[in-house]
Amino acid sequence: MIEIVRLLANHSQFGITLMTADRKAGQSIGSVFPHLVSQDLPDMVAVKDADFSSVDAVFCCLPHGTTQEIIKGLPKGIKIVDLSADFRLRNIDEYEEWYGQPHSAPDLQKEAVYGLTEILRDEIRNARLVANPGCYPSSIQLPLVPLIKANLIELKNIIIDAKSGVSGAGRGAKEANLYTEIAEGIHSYGITKHRHSRSLYFKLYNLKPSSFSAPEIEQGLSDASDSKVTVSFTPHLMPMSRGMQSTIYVEMTPGVTIEDMYQQLKNSYEDEEFVILLEKGAVPHTRNVRGSNYCLMNVFPDRIPGRAIIISVIDNLVKGASGQALQNLNLMLGIPENTGLLYQPLFP
Amino acid sequence: MIEIVRLLANHSQFGITLMTADRKAGQSIGSVFPHLVSQDLPDMVAVKDADFSSVDAVFCCLPHGTTQEIIKGLPKGIKIVDLSADFRLRNIDEYEEWYGQPHSAPDLQKEAVYGLTEILRDEIRNARLVANPGCYPSSIQLPLVPLIKANLIELKNIIIDAKSGVSGAGRGAKEANLYTEIAEGIHSYGITKHRHSRSLYFKLYNLKPSSFSAPEIEQGLSDASDSKVTVSFTPHLMPMSRGMQSTIYVEMTPGVTIEDMYQQLKNSYEDEEFVILLEKGAVPHTRNVRGSNYCLMNVFPDRIPGRAIIISVIDNLVKGASGQALQNLNLMLGIPENTGLLYQPLFP
Amino acid sequence: MIEIVRLLANHSQFGITLMTADRKAGQSIGSVFPHLVSQDLPDMVAVKDADFSSVDAVFCCLPHGTTQEIIKGLPKGIKIVDLSADFRLRNIDEYEEWYGQPHSAPDLQKEAVYGLTEILRDEIRNARLVANPGCYPSSIQLPLVPLIKANLIELKNIIIDAKSGVSGAGRGAKEANLYTEIAEGIHSYGITKHRHSRSLYFKLYNLKPSSFSAPEIEQGLSDASDSKVTVSFTPHLMPMSRGMQSTIYVEMTPGVTIEDMYQQLKNSYEDEEFVILLEKGAVPHTRNVRGSNYCLMNVFPDRIPGRAIIISVIDNLVKGASGQALQNLNLMLGIPENTGLLYQPLFP
Amino acid sequence: MIEIVRLLANHSQFGITLMTADRKAGQSIGSVFPHLVSQDLPDMVAVKDADFSSVDAVFCCLPHGTTQEIIKGLPKGIKIVDLSADFRLRNIDEYEEWYGQPHSAPDLQKEAVYGLTEILRDEIRNARLVANPGCYPSSIQLPLVPLIKANLIELKNIIIDAKSGVSGAGRGAKEANLYTEIAEGIHSYGITKHRHSRSLYFKLYNLKPSSFSAPEIEQGLSDASDSKVTVSFTPHLMPMSRGMQSTIYVEMTPGVTIEDMYQQLKNSYEDEEFVILLEKGAVPHTRNVRGSNYCLMNVFPDRIPGRAIIISVIDNLVKGASGQALQNLNLMLGIPENTGLLYQPLFP
């Protein structure tokens, strides 16, 4: 996740001493990522040649499946933030069901803490291994968890229409992510009912296996509610590189008002640096978080009485991935949580 | 609506004899719309100077409010397809409530036929004045009307998450539609509960008054169901010029299956040229209708049991406006409905 | 070249009876190209299984290198328009030098006619095999050939700064053509001095070998001038799917004025349907030819006395490829040259 | 220039105590620029109500023409970086010729230093009033000035084909800058020979008067060469928000090689933080400087012997405007020049 290198370039406490990349071993950062040509960084090395002796912490950005094994092999004293999906699901049976292979590090899984910073800050602070959340689950749980905990919304029929930029798909060359296939058009992807259709997904949409957001979202919402939650979740691919919006349609618990929801979110987040409840009526735009670690959210009345619409936007590569990862590592290493994260959004 | 000129360029039956444009009076088509420089067309004239004597039919593309008066003044023998919102709402009280001014041609309103071609073909064939539907309402009613008529979906909690390209906003110069405000970002607009907040909309979002989709959608769905339907409708602005997707989340009537819904849509549209139900599982993409009069749709199971997701895509300027208008005029003048409309989508 | 299928959909004389595609053999057009789902066409077949007995003419859109062999094997009575680069260079030594392999059909090469329609119309009319020009060479030769023939510009120091959309690169999945690598940025590619560096190109930029525009341009300009012309040619990749602009910086022959150049272009093209010299001072925009077969051009004075700037725009997939190919086949089969080509540009 | 606020958000030495904006007086930064909602800044005030008593330095981002008067009225002790074009041309006659009105602060003009940091660092360090360069002139002079000073290129026939994103045009609502007019297309603008046609420009292209790059470029190149230089300069508008590339076609002085040019640029910039000569053969891409203060450049052999192609890219809003302005103010106030400017490019 090259985005972490960008963020760390101005971090006052952390420096990069080791970068691994098997296919790019021996290359400089500037040759692989020319936008970082000004950075004086060590060349890439293969994982097997990596010397972790002077490393205090690791961001692990490997593809799903390899990560469990790799992390088992790391020295025990190293703090780890894993950006893959390998440790996000607590239930290893559920992991196997969705990802089609048994979990290969169940002991580590027990230790892993889910890294949704604002919700699980204390657990993260004391963790050695943090499973960094997916981008969709981050944008969705941040508004929903406090509302569910406060019993303000019904658990049934939570309908999430999510929209994402293309960058989440990584730099792999796939027909589906070509400029000509993405520009000036939109579509839904990953529409389905059952996890068992997942292999079809892989073939049809060339998704990385790490893209299973539904079980991760439902794990978080179920935790918040102490009951099993099933959500409707439909992601859409947008003609933009960065940015993610979740438009969430919910039914309010009888007697609850929009004002109640607004106040709850205000109470939950008014002391947070990176989660910002906008002024009443103001609509979050993805372009207003581009390149930054902010999550903007708001809640609106629906035309149908008793219903509400929640909108939450993040930069999928920052608060939805590398930014939150750095936020977590800051916490784990006891330095101010916002260190290196105060980049303002790049607009236009 | 310059799109009509593009479509008519290859129409075998209709020719353009008169083009009115008050602010551009005296100018050639090529100077105002350089992409039509190859077209040999009459210069624009002011409405007041227009000679309608050799005109058989008119496409009326004026801003809301002026249209009712203008059409009152046209010779009675002329067929009219009005692309504004002026004649879309049958109930003139409702019109006044939403648009903030009394209807100025209630008699014409009684005569006007709503131009959703595939649903109201017979009425349109015999009409003199057709109120061409809005783009959102077209994309939404086409799948929902047959499903509602067949009692396959519940009328409560129909949730529509709609996404549109920018071109629907017209060519007026507004900050909100600048390239830098639109590219690489998305946002919702027009989120609200009550029609009474509409004046706020105008100021906040610079919407044309013609943009009220909710009452038009609800009129159509209520007609189909013989009861008053209220929908949840949230439009989103996409970084693309053309294209519109409606993602519609519905609850199936008890006992109904996705297969039932699919078959109903198949029965409704298998003989239609422009409404295409895709093969099971195939996802409609807006880029696959770009520049064409096609509506692609499909229906999918939701993760939540008993629910379904309907996706419908159109080009907002064609099936959502000028294409459907031409389809209607073809009908009204007794020529094959697809004349001049067989442009294939421009991809990429 | 799926674009040909789009164009033929409304052609009054030609129908598609055979489509070959080795990797997609057995598939329907709608499954491979969902934007053509409405077209009732034969399924794809492998070349080896193709029955050419009922075929009058072929558009050949294969990758470079295979084409020469394939065309050798076609029945002799079939008219062929080849969209690859295989037959564009008359000099087979030069072909070998640039493409790194010997020409495998030198006899066919002698027969092949270069398909720049407006310049070589008579030769094309009588050809059996037409080598359809590349997109850059089309946009560049159309304005330059008449000016060179009339001795209005100097042959030395013709500087061409060309800009292209991404679609010319085909649908192959390459990192360089991903949305995230293309959107919101520009760059030059293919900058070099010698043909001998061509193999470096392939590796660095993943170009298809068919992309050598310089020798093709120089062949055409040398023909026009009866002397060997070397041009400066720098292509740039634009964040857009379609469209191509060539900005050409030239020195006028002593005594020549901009007016002379304008008049020469006017004389050359005023009776042409698809090459349009704009009114004086009007700037060609690529968006004004999108999806159409038009080439718009104009000539402007430079700030440096004695110099001129020529601008020419086309849709690289239409006048730069499939449109010109169809124009050529119309000619070869004796039907009106514009048949099936009067699509107006899609704007916006 | 809201971009300065973004940059200053992480500046270790400067804070914002006053923001003026006549039309937005009384509003908060978050309401005018929602992407800066997290910033705790004073509300906007009208210039006439501004209290400059606690202000040490000013970034002046007013439209052309008003700036000369405003700066005359500022307290004398304040350091000023002016981002308008008002003080860029030393010759006030030339100013009047291009901008169509007499210079209203000729004494200030004498004092003003042209703020091309890497070229005029010493002068800027001691300046009170710096005229910040335009974006085109920055990207063009940075490579050309050292090459001209070293007599490596001919002064005649310097041909500059420049490409810019839309953001340089400001946030004013103009039809020409609408998303639908910009996306998926390119065009040249400002093609002309004489300054006398400038008024035509204004009408045709809605340019701000501050957009006259040619005289500014020629001033800089003439200074470097001690002779009057006239360049060919053609700007093109790209479908992207940020980014600028200048492709410069030059003739080398007899005997000079590409290697000589490369070494000269290397000598000039190897100790510079923000001007980076890429490795030989590497092509600068605008997306590799997005959001950053870097200028990437390189030099390539042309196909025509004796000629060279220089490519230079910047972010027009950063190194081309606000970033260089901050770089200049850092210098003027004696703090490290790179303070607050080490943002890495945002890619993708």
Side-chain angles (χ1 to χ4, degrees):
Chain A
M1 192 64 73
I2 199 59
E3 184 71 355
I4 288 179
V5 180
R6 178 180 76 90
L7 296 173
L8 288 178
N10 292 309
H11 196 283
S12 58
Q13 312 279 322
F14 301 163
I16 296 173
T17 58
L18 176 66
M19 300 182 73
T20 71
D22 284 3
R23 284 187 311 149
K24 308 279 185 183
Q27 296 191 35
S28 70
I29 186 83
S31 68
V32 182
F33 292 102
H35 68 292
L36 295 170
V37 67
S38 77
Q39 295 293 295
D40 188 18
L41 291 171
D43 285 354
M44 319 267 178
V45 299
V47 172
K48 66 174 174 48
D49 300 328
D51 171 10
F52 288 95
S53 62
S54 65
V55 169
D56 297 312
V58 162
F59 293 106
C60 197
C61 313
L62 295 163
H64 147 80
T66 59
T67 308
Q68 290 160 357
E69 288 293 346
I70 294 272
I71 291 181
K72 275 203 290 193
L74 288 178
K76 295 303 167 204
I78 292 181
K79 303 275 188 180
I80 302 160
V81 180
D82 178 31
L83 284 91
S84 86
D86 272 24
F87 292 98
R88 290 182 192 155
L89 296 184
R90 275 199 314 276
N91 184 328
I92 62 173
D93 294 335
E94 193 170 23
Y95 173 85
E96 183 171 349
E97 253 188 293
W98 279 89
Y99 290 92
Q101 60 181 46
H103 200 294
S104 63
D107 287 345
L108 277 174
Q109 183 63 62
K110 284 183 199 133
E111 184 189 347
V113 170
Y114 185 70
L116 193 62
T117 324
E118 285 78 8
I119 304 295
L120 293 163
R121 184 171 278 124
D122 290 339
E123 293 82 346
I124 295 164
R125 193 177 276 126
N126 300 310
R128 187 181 73 93
L129 168 59
V130 162
N132 212 58
C135 44
Y136 285 121
S138 296
S139 72
I140 291 162
Q141 292 177 84
L142 282 172
L144 285 187
V145 166
L147 296 173
I148 286 178
K149 283 188 176 166
N151 287 316
L152 298 182
I153 60 174
E154 298 284 352
L155 300 178
K156 67 179 194 313
N157 293 346
I158 295 176
I159 293 166
I160 304 163
D161 188 293
K163 295 101 178 161
S164 175
V166 188
S167 59
R171 218 186 186 190
K174 298 163 194 164
E175 181 185 302
N177 293 335
L178 292 177
Y179 181 86
T180 46
E181 304 281 325
I182 295 294
E184 292 287 312
I186 54 171
H187 65 279
S188 311
Y189 66 98
I191 313 169
T192 194
K193 189 179 181 182
H194 301 296
R195 64 193 72 175
H196 311 297
S197 51
R198 67 182 178 273
S199 60
L200 185 63
Y201 276 24
F202 288 101
K203 271 186 294 185
L204 275 182
Y205 302 105
N206 268 323
L207 287 185
K208 294 184 301 179
S210 59
S211 306
F212 290 114
S213 301
E216 188 181 338
I217 297 164
E218 292 174 352
Q219 170 180 273
L221 303 192
S222 298
D223 285 357
S225 65
D226 278 324
S227 64
K228 181 85 189 83
V229 177
T230 299
V231 298
S232 170
F233 171 70
T234 306
H236 296 72
L237 198 56
M238 301 285 111
M240 60 193 200
S241 287
R242 289 171 181 253
M244 172 166 284
Q245 173 174 333
S246 293
T247 315
I248 310 172
Y249 301 91
V250 297
E251 192 174 334
M252 293 182 278
T253 307
V256 169
T257 65
I258 291 291
E259 180 65 20
D260 296 333
M261 293 179 68
Y262 189 87
Q263 285 305 326
Q264 180 60 41
L265 292 173
K266 187 171 177 186
N267 295 343
S268 300
Y269 292 122
E270 66 189 340
D271 296 330
E272 289 292 345
E273 176 131 30
F274 295 118
V275 180
I276 299 178
L277 178 68
L278 294 185
E279 291 191 14
K280 286 176 197 174
V283 178
H285 291 210
T286 64
R287 59 185 68 75
N288 291 332
V289 296
R290 190 188 300 146
S292 81
N293 198 47
Y294 299 100
C295 172
L296 306 184
M297 63 175 63
N298 214 341
V299 57
F300 304 87
D302 198 334
R303 298 187 75 257
I304 301 177
R307 298 194 63 93
I309 303 169
I310 301 158
I311 294 178
S312 152
V313 301
I314 58 173
D315 182 321
N316 54 308
L317 295 184
V318 191
K319 186 61 177 168
S322 299
Q324 187 157 244
L326 178 53
Q327 194 180 353
N328 284 330
L329 192 65
N330 285 341
L331 260 180
M332 293 158 78
L333 293 179
I335 67 172
E337 190 178 316
N338 64 14
T339 309
L341 285 169
L342 293 175
Y343 294 91
Q344 290 303 296
L346 192 75
F347 174 85
Chain B
M1 192 64 72
I2 199 59
E3 184 73 353
I4 289 179
V5 181
R6 178 179 77 88
L7 297 172
L8 288 178
N10 292 309
H11 196 284
S12 58
Q13 311 281 321
F14 300 164
I16 296 174
T17 58
L18 176 66
M19 301 183 73
T20 69
D22 283 3
R23 284 187 312 149
K24 310 277 186 185
Q27 296 190 36
S28 71
I29 187 83
S31 68
V32 182
F33 292 102
H35 68 292
L36 295 170
V37 68
S38 77
Q39 296 292 294
D40 188 19
L41 290 172
D43 286 354
M44 319 267 180
V45 298
V47 173
K48 66 176 175 49
D49 300 328
D51 171 10
F52 288 94
S53 61
S54 64
V55 169
D56 297 313
V58 162
F59 293 107
C60 196
C61 312
L62 295 163
H64 147 78
T66 58
T67 309
Q68 291 160 355
E69 289 292 347
I70 294 273
I71 291 182
K72 275 202 290 193
L74 289 179
K76 293 304 165 202
I78 293 181
K79 302 275 188 181
I80 302 160
V81 180
D82 177 30
L83 285 92
S84 85
D86 272 22
F87 292 97
R88 290 183 192 154
L89 297 184
R90 276 199 314 276
N91 184 329
I92 62 172
D93 293 335
E94 193 169 23
Y95 173 85
E96 181 170 351
E97 252 189 293
W98 279 91
Y99 290 91
Q101 59 182 46
H103 201 296
S104 62
D107 287 344
L108 278 174
Q109 182 63 62
K110 281 183 200 136
E111 183 189 349
V113 170
Y114 186 69
L116 193 62
T117 325
E118 286 78 9
I119 304 295
L120 294 162
R121 183 172 281 125
D122 290 338
E123 292 83 346
I124 294 163
R125 192 175 277 125
N126 301 308
R128 187 181 71 94
L129 167 59
V130 163
N132 212 56
C135 43
Y136 285 121
S138 295
S139 72
I140 291 161
Q141 293 176 84
L142 282 173
L144 285 186
V145 165
L147 296 173
I148 286 177
K149 282 188 176 167
N151 286 315
L152 298 182
I153 60 174
E154 298 284 351
L155 299 177
K156 67 180 196 308
N157 295 344
I158 295 176
I159 292 166
I160 305 162
D161 188 291
K163 296 98 177 162
S164 174
V166 188
S167 58
R171 217 186 186 189
K174 299 163 193 164
E175 182 186 300
N177 292 337
L178 292 177
Y179 182 87
T180 46
E181 305 279 326
I182 296 292
E184 293 287 311
I186 52 170
H187 65 278
S188 311
Y189 67 98
I191 314 168
T192 194
K193 190 177 182 183
H194 302 296
R195 65 193 71 178
H196 311 298
S197 51
R198 68 181 178 270
S199 61
L200 185 63
Y201 275 26
F202 288 101
K203 272 186 294 184
L204 276 181
Y205 303 105
N206 266 324
L207 288 183
K208 292 183 302 178
S210 61
S211 305
F212 290 112
S213 301
E216 189 182 337
I217 297 164
E218 292 174 352
Q219 170 180 275
L221 303 191
S222 298
D223 284 357
S225 66
D226 278 325
S227 63
K228 179 85 191 82
V229 177
T230 300
V231 298
S232 170
F233 171 69
T234 307
H236 296 72
L237 198 57
M238 301 284 109
M240 60 194 199
S241 287
R242 286 171 183 252
M244 171 167 285
Q245 173 173 333
S246 292
T247 316
I248 310 173
Y249 301 92
V250 297
E251 193 174 334
M252 292 181 280
T253 306
V256 169
T257 65
I258 291 292
E259 180 63 21
D260 296 332
M261 292 179 69
Y262 189 88
Q263 285 305 326
Q264 179 61 41
L265 291 174
K266 187 171 175 187
N267 295 343
S268 300
Y269 292 121
E270 65 188 341
D271 296 330
E272 290 292 345
E273 175 130 30
F274 295 118
V275 180
I276 299 177
L277 179 68
L278 294 184
E279 290 190 13
K280 286 176 196 174
V283 178
H285 291 210
T286 63
R287 59 183 69 74
N288 291 332
V289 295
R290 190 188 300 146
S292 80
N293 198 47
Y294 298 100
C295 172
L296 305 183
M297 61 174 65
N298 215 341
V299 57
F300 304 88
D302 198 334
R303 300 187 73 256
I304 302 177
R307 299 193 63 93
I309 303 169
I310 302 158
I311 293 179
S312 153
V313 301
I314 59 171
D315 182 322
N316 54 308
L317 294 184
V318 191
K319 186 62 176 168
S322 299
Q324 185 156 246
L326 177 53
Q327 194 179 353
N328 285 330
L329 192 64
N330 286 340
L331 261 180
M332 294 159 78
L333 293 180
I335 67 171
E337 189 179 316
N338 63 14
T339 308
L341 286 169
L342 292 174
Y343 294 93
Q344 291 303 296
L346 192 75
F347 173 84
Chain C
M1 192 66 72
I2 199 59
E3 184 72 353
I4 288 179
V5 181
R6 178 180 75 89
L7 296 173
L8 288 178
N10 291 310
H11 196 284
S12 57
Q13 312 280 321
F14 301 163
I16 296 173
T17 58
L18 176 66
M19 300 182 72
T20 70
D22 284 3
R23 284 187 311 150
K24 310 279 187 184
Q27 296 190 36
S28 70
I29 186 83
S31 69
V32 182
F33 292 102
H35 68 292
L36 295 170
V37 69
S38 77
Q39 295 293 295
D40 188 18
L41 291 172
D43 285 354
M44 318 266 181
V45 299
V47 173
K48 65 174 174 51
D49 300 328
D51 171 10
F52 287 94
S53 61
S54 64
V55 169
D56 297 311
V58 162
F59 293 107
C60 196
C61 313
L62 294 163
H64 148 79
T66 59
T67 308
Q68 291 159 357
E69 288 293 347
I70 294 273
I71 291 182
K72 274 202 292 192
L74 288 179
K76 294 305 167 202
I78 293 181
K79 302 274 187 181
I80 303 159
V81 180
D82 178 31
L83 286 91
S84 85
D86 272 23
F87 291 98
R88 289 182 193 155
L89 296 184
R90 275 199 315 275
N91 184 329
I92 63 173
D93 294 334
E94 194 171 20
Y95 173 85
E96 182 169 351
E97 253 188 292
W98 280 90
Y99 290 93
Q101 60 181 46
H103 200 295
S104 63
D107 287 345
L108 277 174
Q109 182 64 62
K110 283 185 197 129
E111 185 190 348
V113 170
Y114 186 69
L116 193 61
T117 325
E118 286 78 7
I119 304 294
L120 294 162
R121 184 171 280 124
D122 290 338
E123 293 82 346
I124 294 163
R125 194 176 275 126
N126 300 309
R128 188 181 72 95
L129 168 58
V130 162
N132 211 56
C135 44
Y136 286 122
S138 296
S139 72
I140 291 162
Q141 292 176 84
L142 282 173
L144 285 186
V145 165
L147 295 174
I148 286 177
K149 282 187 176 167
N151 287 313
L152 298 183
I153 61 174
E154 299 283 350
L155 299 177
K156 65 180 198 310
N157 294 343
I158 295 176
I159 293 165
I160 305 163
D161 188 292
K163 296 101 178 160
S164 175
V166 188
S167 59
R171 218 185 186 189
K174 299 162 192 163
E175 181 186 300
N177 293 336
L178 293 176
Y179 181 86
T180 47
E181 305 279 325
I182 295 293
E184 293 287 309
I186 54 170
H187 65 279
S188 310
Y189 67 96
I191 313 169
T192 193
K193 190 178 183 185
H194 303 295
R195 64 193 71 176
H196 311 296
S197 51
R198 66 179 179 272
S199 60
L200 184 64
Y201 276 25
F202 288 101
K203 274 186 293 185
L204 277 181
Y205 303 105
N206 268 325
L207 288 184
K208 294 184 301 181
S210 61
S211 305
F212 290 114
S213 301
E216 189 181 338
I217 297 164
E218 292 174 352
Q219 171 180 273
L221 303 192
S222 299
D223 284 358
S225 65
D226 277 325
S227 63
K228 180 88 191 78
V229 177
T230 300
V231 298
S232 170
F233 172 69
T234 306
H236 296 73
L237 199 56
M238 301 285 108
M240 60 194 200
S241 288
R242 287 169 182 252
M244 170 167 288
Q245 175 174 332
S246 293
T247 317
I248 309 173
Y249 301 92
V250 298
E251 193 175 331
M252 292 182 279
T253 306
V256 168
T257 65
I258 291 293
E259 180 65 20
D260 296 333
M261 294 179 68
Y262 189 87
Q263 284 306 326
Q264 179 62 40
L265 292 173
K266 187 169 175 188
N267 294 342
S268 299
Y269 293 122
E270 64 189 341
D271 294 331
E272 290 291 346
E273 175 131 30
F274 295 119
V275 180
I276 299 178
L277 178 68
L278 294 185
E279 291 191 13
K280 287 177 196 174
V283 178
H285 291 210
T286 65
R287 58 184 69 76
N288 290 333
V289 296
R290 190 188 299 145
S292 81
N293 199 47
Y294 298 100
C295 171
L296 305 184
M297 62 175 64
N298 215 341
V299 57
F300 304 87
D302 198 334
R303 298 187 74 255
I304 301 178
R307 297 193 64 93
I309 303 169
I310 301 157
I311 293 178
S312 152
V313 301
I314 59 172
D315 183 319
N316 53 308
L317 294 184
V318 191
K319 185 61 178 167
S322 300
Q324 187 157 244
L326 178 53
Q327 194 179 352
N328 285 330
L329 192 64
N330 286 340
L331 261 180
M332 295 159 77
L333 293 179
I335 66 171
E337 191 179 315
N338 63 15
T339 309
L341 285 169
L342 293 174
Y343 294 92
Q344 290 303 295
L346 192 75
F347 174 85
Chain D
M1 190 65 73
I2 200 60
E3 184 73 354
I4 288 179
V5 180
R6 179 180 75 90
L7 297 172
L8 288 178
N10 291 310
H11 196 284
S12 58
Q13 311 280 322
F14 301 162
I16 296 173
T17 57
L18 176 65
M19 300 182 72
T20 70
D22 284 3
R23 285 187 311 150
K24 309 280 186 181
Q27 297 190 35
S28 70
I29 187 83
S31 69
V32 182
F33 292 102
H35 67 292
L36 295 170
V37 67
S38 77
Q39 296 292 295
D40 189 18
L41 291 172
D43 285 355
M44 318 269 179
V45 298
V47 173
K48 67 174 175 50
D49 300 328
D51 171 10
F52 287 95
S53 61
S54 64
V55 169
D56 296 312
V58 162
F59 292 107
C60 196
C61 313
L62 295 164
H64 147 78
T66 58
T67 309
Q68 291 160 356
E69 288 294 344
I70 294 273
I71 291 183
K72 274 203 292 192
L74 288 178
K76 295 303 167 201
I78 293 180
K79 303 274 188 182
I80 302 160
V81 180
D82 177 31
L83 285 92
S84 85
D86 272 23
F87 292 97
R88 289 182 193 156
L89 296 184
R90 276 200 312 276
N91 184 328
I92 61 172
D93 294 335
E94 194 170 22
Y95 173 86
E96 183 170 349
E97 253 188 294
W98 280 90
Y99 290 91
Q101 59 182 47
H103 200 296
S104 63
D107 287 344
L108 278 174
Q109 183 62 63
K110 284 184 198 131
E111 184 189 347
V113 169
Y114 186 69
L116 192 62
T117 324
E118 285 79 8
I119 304 295
L120 293 164
R121 184 171 281 123
D122 289 339
E123 292 83 345
I124 294 163
R125 194 175 276 124
N126 299 310
R128 187 180 72 95
L129 168 59
V130 162
N132 212 57
C135 44
Y136 285 121
S138 296
S139 72
I140 291 162
Q141 293 177 84
L142 282 172
L144 285 186
V145 165
L147 296 173
I148 286 177
K149 281 187 177 168
N151 287 314
L152 298 182
I153 60 174
E154 299 284 350
L155 299 178
K156 66 181 195 309
N157 294 345
I158 295 176
I159 293 166
I160 305 162
D161 188 292
K163 295 99 177 162
S164 175
V166 188
S167 59
R171 218 184 186 191
K174 298 162 194 163
E175 182 186 299
N177 294 335
L178 292 177
Y179 181 87
T180 46
E181 304 279 326
I182 295 294
E184 293 287 311
I186 53 170
H187 65 278
S188 311
Y189 67 97
I191 314 169
T192 194
K193 189 179 183 184
H194 303 295
R195 65 193 70 177
H196 311 297
S197 52
R198 67 182 178 270
S199 59
L200 184 64
Y201 276 25
F202 289 100
K203 274 187 291 186
L204 276 181
Y205 302 106
N206 267 326
L207 288 182
K208 294 183 301 179
S210 60
S211 307
F212 291 113
S213 301
E216 189 181 337
I217 296 164
E218 292 176 351
Q219 171 180 274
L221 303 191
S222 298
D223 284 357
S225 65
D226 276 325
S227 63
K228 181 85 191 78
V229 176
T230 300
V231 298
S232 170
F233 171 70
T234 307
H236 296 72
L237 197 58
M238 301 283 110
M240 59 193 200
S241 288
R242 286 170 182 252
M244 172 166 285
Q245 173 174 333
S246 293
T247 315
I248 309 173
Y249 301 91
V250 298
E251 192 175 332
M252 293 182 278
T253 306
V256 168
T257 65
I258 291 292
E259 180 64 20
D260 296 332
M261 292 179 68
Y262 189 87
Q263 285 305 326
Q264 179 61 40
L265 291 173
K266 187 170 176 188
N267 295 342
S268 299
Y269 293 123
E270 68 188 338
D271 296 330
E272 289 292 344
E273 176 131 30
F274 295 118
V275 180
I276 299 178
L277 178 68
L278 294 185
E279 292 192 13
K280 286 175 196 174
V283 178
H285 290 210
T286 63
R287 58 184 69 73
N288 290 332
V289 296
R290 190 188 299 146
S292 81
N293 199 47
Y294 298 101
C295 172
L296 306 183
M297 62 174 65
N298 215 341
V299 56
F300 304 88
D302 198 333
R303 298 186 75 255
I304 301 177
R307 299 193 63 93
I309 303 169
I310 301 158
I311 294 178
S312 153
V313 301
I314 59 173
D315 182 321
N316 54 307
L317 294 184
V318 191
K319 186 61 177 169
S322 299
Q324 186 157 246
L326 178 53
Q327 194 179 351
N328 285 330
L329 192 64
N330 286 341
L331 261 180
M332 292 160 78
L333 293 179
I335 67 171
E337 191 178 315
N338 63 15
T339 309
L341 285 169
L342 293 174
Y343 295 93
Q344 290 304 295
L346 191 76
F347 174 85

